[in-house]
Amino acid sequence: MRQLTVLALRAVLVALFTGSVFVQTVMVPLLASDLEGLDPEYAYLRSPFLAITVLGFVTVEVVLVCVWRLVTLVRRDTVFTHAAFRWVDVVIGAFVAAAILIFALGAVLAPGEAVPPGMVLLVGGAGVAALGVALIVLVLRMLLAQAVARDIEAARMQAELDEVI
């Protein structure tokens, strides 16, 4: 079951990463050409919107790579080591970066009449949601730290028991 789960997750990660790269390489240029026809008073939105979109997909790709590395640690039974912290920390940073990008998108869209205020509010809510995910991963990191500490303690106690026997 464990092997099947790892394979299924890796298939999903590959599909998501492939889709993300496709969006960056094919869809963003198409979006850029579509945005060239913007009303001149909203032309200032084009560059920031495209930059935020590309950087947003980069954060997604970073998270996917980190999850791949964590799955590799799980497969090797080494997830409860200090090596996992690096990948979890990068995931937290990527979600914080995504939240900042979402808030920046809201700030770009807020002035003027280009976007309704309700849409800007929804974008702000998405930013708060991204920060919430970062906090959830931070809590999971704390659980990982407790598990690693207990694993180290168990190994120490086993070594002491082996000496006694």
Side-chain angles (χ1 to χ4, degrees):
M1 179 69 177
R2 184 174 172 175
Q3 182 72 2
L4 182 62
T5 304
V6 168
L7 286 174
L9 180 56
R10 285 196 168 171
V12 169
L13 292 172
V14 166
L16 290 171
F17 193 86
T18 304
S20 179
V21 170
F22 173 77
V23 167
Q24 280 182 304
T25 57
V26 176
M27 300 305 290
V28 170
L30 291 173
L31 178 63
S33 66
D34 285 347
L35 290 177
E36 286 177 3
L38 274 178
D39 193 343
E41 68 179 292
Y42 301 126
Y44 69 94
L45 294 173
R46 184 177 184 272
S47 295
F49 182 75
L50 292 173
I52 290 169
T53 300
V54 169
L55 291 173
F57 278 99
V58 168
T59 63
V60 169
E61 292 163 0
V62 167
V63 169
L64 293 173
V65 168
C66 290
V67 171
W68 183 281
R69 295 299 301 157
L70 287 168
V71 168
T72 300
L73 292 176
V74 168
R75 190 179 51 111
R76 293 179 184 162
D77 282 330
T78 58
V79 73
F80 295 117
T81 62
H82 291 288
F85 289 107
R86 173 180 16 159
W87 302 110
V88 174
D89 289 341
V90 174
V91 169
I92 293 168
F95 273 107
V96 170
I100 291 169
L101 287 169
I102 293 168
F103 289 133
L105 177 63
V108 166
L109 297 176
E113 300 291 324
V115 177
M119 184 59 79
V120 175
L121 185 62
L122 286 173
V123 170
V128 171
L131 282 178
V133 172
L135 289 172
I136 289 169
V137 176
L138 180 62
V139 169
L140 293 174
R141 184 193 187 284
M142 288 186 246
L143 291 173
L144 177 64
Q146 288 178 354
V148 168
R150 290 211 172 114
D151 196 45
I152 291 170
E153 180 65 17
R156 185 191 62 77
M157 292 174 88
Q158 183 66 44
E160 286 179 8
L161 184 61
D162 289 344
E163 286 179 14
V164 171
I165 295 176

